[in-house]
């Protein structure tokens, strides 16, 4: 058990886990940016139809904003949980 705790402390596994979670969350923000903002904008630019006909294909900035808010909430929860259980002292800095 002691070796396991030492491994976690030396290798920065906690930081890696947090990075993995936040990476997945930012992935949903990028996916929403492309799907809800960029693709409809390109569709409006290259389409030969009038803008009124394409209004229902409009930019869904609300869905993109929702993805950003979800990311911020998740990041805040992870931050406060990490801070609350005092895991900031768990990782050990390596000496060169």
């Amino acid at each position: 058990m002691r070796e396991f705790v030492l491994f976690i402390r030396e290798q920065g596994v906690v930081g890696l886990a947090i990075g993995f979670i936040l990476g997945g969350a930012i992935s949903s923000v990028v996916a929403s940016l492309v799907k809800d903002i960029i693709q409809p904008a390109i569709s409006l630019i290259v389409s030969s139809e009038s803008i009124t006909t394409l209004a229902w294909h409009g930019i869904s900035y609300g869905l993109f904003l929702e993805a950003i808010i979800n990311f911020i909430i998740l990041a805040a929860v992870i931050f406060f949980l990490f801070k609350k259980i005092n895991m900031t002292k768990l990782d050990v800095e390596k000496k060169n």
Side-chain angles (χ1 to χ4, degrees), residues 1-44:
M1 183 69 175
R2 184 173 211 158
E3 289 180 22
F4 178 69
V5 172
L6 185 61
F7 168 75
I8 289 175
R9 291 183 71 197
E10 288 181 353
Q11 300 303 320
V13 174
V14 173
L16 180 65
I18 290 173
F20 185 74
I21 293 169
L22 291 179
I26 200 71
S27 173
S28 67
V29 172
V30 172
S32 176
L33 173 67
V34 171
K35 179 181 160 198
D36 300 324
I37 304 292
I38 295 175
Q39 285 181 343
I42 291 173
S43 175
L44 287 172

Side-chain angles (χ1 to χ4, degrees), residues 14-73:
V14 173
L16 180 65
I18 290 173
F20 185 74
I21 293 169
L22 291 179
I26 200 71
S27 173
S28 67
V29 172
V30 172
S32 176
L33 173 67
V34 171
K35 179 181 160 198
D36 300 324
I37 304 292
I38 295 175
Q39 285 181 343
I42 291 173
S43 175
L44 287 172
I45 292 169
V46 299
S47 177
S48 61
E49 298 180 30
S50 69
I51 292 178
T52 56
T53 308
L54 293 173
W56 60 276
H57 283 299
I59 295 173
S60 302
Y61 60 88
L63 294 174
F64 178 63
L65 186 60
E66 178 184 351
I68 290 174
I69 291 170
N70 287 341
F71 172 76
I72 291 171
I73 290 171

Side-chain angles (χ1 to χ4, degrees), residues 76-94:
V77 167
I78 289 173
F79 171 75
F80 289 118
L81 181 65
F82 185 75
K83 190 173 179 178
K84 177 73 174 172
I85 59 177
N86 202 16
M87 294 183 77
T88 55
K89 296 180 181 177
L90 187 60
D91 288 340
V92 174
E93 291 184 26
K94 291 185 178 182

